[in-house]
């Protein structure tokens, strides 16, 4: 667990430091060589600094243990951080789209080979960061880190557009094809739409978790199978589960032999929790409610699964 947390924090710090360096690189080169696309991309990267800092802060909070005010832990802090990243992506998409559209009505800027090199460095750097951050984020099931990776992917799109725009401008300058100078703003508009799509997907996933949307039915079926394999379980009355940041909380109502003692019921509950948590390491809490089952009520080994039903206690 600590190793996973350390890897996640390292990836978050790498993202933050990289965004600071790339912001300075793009703004400095953009101003020195009058590259409007690099200046716009640099301003976009400044927003990424805020996004990376937000993700890092939310990850630190989510790693805090449960306390009196937050008995279920602080896992949703990462989801809140991911929502902030989605909002920043939305703002970046609108900014790049508007800026690119307005450039269509202005004289094209003169491209420079140094600006192209800066855009290529940013493209490669961000692609490496995206792959690295997404891999660590998925391994740790870190919503904040996955959102940061999506932000890196948005930067890959933006840098690719910058490379294409500056490259087309250099070709147009070399051969006297002035229309190619407008390839940059046209590519910027396409990139804005792609970033807008990323913002929607990241924001939708975060809102789903904050609204406690149920986990995928396949996971519920897997939990039900674990319970069905326990001879003590006579009936599954209800099974539900929700994500709570990096981890999952499962809620089950199970029918067991009505003649069991409280101690026996307690031991069965502990075994249910252990089996489900062993089957899925993302599960950190299993809430078990036992209902009485009487012989002859239904076949002993026939288990009825009704996901999210509303059976009375």
């Amino acid at each position: 667990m600590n190793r996973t947390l350390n890897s996640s924090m390292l990836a978050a710090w790498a993202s933050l430091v990289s965004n600071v360096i790339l912001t300075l690189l793009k703004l400095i080169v953009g101003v020195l060589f009058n590259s409007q696309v690099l200046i716009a991309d640099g301003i976009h990267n400044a927003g990424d600094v805020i996004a990376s800092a937000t993700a890092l802060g939310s990850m630190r909070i989510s790693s805090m243990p449960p306390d009196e005010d937050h008995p279920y832990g602080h896992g949703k802090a990462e989801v809140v951080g991911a929502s902030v990243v989605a909002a920043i992506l939305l703002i970046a998409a609108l900014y790049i789209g508007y800026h690119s559209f307005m450039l269509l009505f202005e004289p094209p800027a003169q491209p420079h080979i140094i600006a192209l090199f800066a855009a290529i460095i940013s493209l490669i750097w961000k692609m490496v960061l995206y792959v690295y951050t997404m891999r660590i984020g998925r391994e740790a099931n870190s919503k904040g880190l996955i959102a940061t990776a999506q932000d890196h992917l948005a930067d890959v799109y933006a840098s690719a557009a910058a490379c294409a725009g500056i490259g087309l401008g250099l070709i147009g300058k070399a051969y006297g094809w002035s229309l190619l100078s407008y390839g940059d703003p046209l590519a910027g508009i396409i990139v804005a739409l792609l970033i807008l799509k990323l913002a929607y997907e990241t924001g939708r996933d975060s809102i789903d978790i904050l609204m406690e949307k149920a986990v995928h039915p396949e996971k519920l079926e897997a939990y039900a199978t674990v319970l069905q394999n326990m001879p003590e379980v006579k009936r599954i009355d209800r099974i539900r589960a929700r994500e709570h940041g990096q981890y999952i909380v499962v809620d089950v109502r199970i029918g067991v032999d009505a003649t069991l003692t409280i101690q026996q019921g307690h031991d069965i509950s502990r075994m249910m929790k252990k089996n489900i948590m062993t089957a899925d390491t993302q599960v950190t809490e299993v809430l078990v409610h036992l209902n009485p089952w009487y012989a002859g009520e239904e076949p002993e080994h026939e288990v009825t699964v009704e996901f999210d039903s509303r059976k009375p206690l």
Side-chain angles (χ1 to χ4, degrees):
M1 182 67 178
N2 289 334
R3 183 178 179 181
T4 301
L5 178 60
N6 290 337
S7 298
S8 299
M9 295 301 293
L10 178 61
W13 273 110
S15 297
L16 178 59
V17 173
S18 296
N19 280 329
V20 171
I21 294 173
L22 288 175
T23 297
L24 294 175
L25 173 66
K26 292 175 183 178
L27 289 177
I28 292 173
V29 174
V31 171
L32 288 178
F33 296 98
N34 193 32
S35 174
Q36 295 300 316
V37 65
L38 270 187
I39 293 174
D41 201 12
I43 294 173
H44 170 215
N45 249 118
D48 295 339
V49 173
I50 300 174
S52 296
T54 300
L56 181 60
S58 66
M59 287 173 61
R60 293 179 69 90
I61 295 173
S62 68
S63 64
M64 296 170 61
D67 54 34
E68 185 176 346
D69 293 329
H70 305 87
Y72 293 101
H74 302 77
K76 286 191 177 179
E78 280 200 43
V79 184
V80 175
S83 301
V84 173
V85 173
I88 291 175
L89 284 173
L90 174 62
I91 295 172
L94 295 176
Y95 172 80
I96 292 175
Y98 173 77
H99 180 78
S100 299
F101 181 76
M102 295 306 295
L103 285 178
L104 293 173
F105 303 97
E106 298 179 6
Q110 292 298 313
H112 198 283
I113 190 67
I114 300 298
L116 178 61
F117 286 153
I120 292 174
I121 290 172
S122 174
L123 174 62
I124 297 174
W125 196 333
K126 280 293 186 175
M127 179 58 75
V128 172
L129 272 177
Y130 166 70
V131 174
Y132 167 65
T133 307
M134 183 60 79
R135 178 175 62 82
I136 299 297
R138 285 175 175 167
E139 288 177 357
N141 192 33
S142 169
K143 306 304 178 186
L145 211 53
I146 291 174
T148 301
Q150 296 282 37
D151 191 37
H152 291 325
L153 182 59
D155 293 334
V156 169
Y157 294 154
S159 296
C163 290
I166 297 171
L168 288 174
L170 288 171
I171 294 174
K173 181 180 178 181
Y175 293 96
W177 299 337
S178 58
L179 287 178
L180 289 183
S181 300
Y182 290 97
D184 171 15
L186 290 175
I189 293 173
I190 296 174
V191 168
L193 294 175
L194 293 174
I195 296 177
L196 195 62
K197 179 176 180 290
L198 285 176
Y200 167 74
E201 292 173 349
T202 303
R204 180 194 59 194
D205 292 343
S206 300
I207 291 173
D208 281 346
I209 295 176
L210 290 173
M211 295 294 291
E212 299 196 339
K213 180 181 178 181
V215 300
H216 197 279
E218 288 183 0
K219 277 189 174 289
L220 290 176
E221 291 170 5
Y223 304 149
T225 299
V226 171
L227 297 175
Q228 287 172 344
N229 291 330
M230 297 180 62
E232 298 86 356
V233 174
K234 309 303 182 183
R235 186 183 66 242
I236 298 178
D237 293 328
R238 186 176 74 185
I239 178 168
R240 297 186 297 183
R242 65 187 187 277
E243 286 193 66
H244 198 84
Q246 297 180 6
Y247 43 89
I248 293 174
V249 177
V250 180
D251 176 9
V252 296
R253 292 184 180 180
I254 303 296
V256 297
D257 192 335
T259 63
L260 295 177
T261 65
I262 293 177
Q263 181 63 56
Q264 289 172 318
H266 171 74
D267 293 340
I268 292 173
S269 296
R270 288 175 61 88
M271 185 59 66
M272 289 179 191
K273 294 180 182 181
K274 179 182 178 181
N275 290 351
I276 290 177
M277 292 170 66
T278 300
D280 186 355
T281 55
Q282 283 185 248
V283 177
T284 59
E285 182 70 39
V286 181
L287 307 175
V288 180
H289 179 91
L290 300 180
N291 289 332
W293 174 87
Y294 298 92
E297 180 179 324
E298 60 183 50
E300 182 173 334
H301 296 292
E302 180 181 326
V303 182
T304 303
V305 181
E306 296 186 10
F307 298 118
D308 205 20
S309 65
R310 293 295 183 267
K311 287 192 174 183
L313 294 177

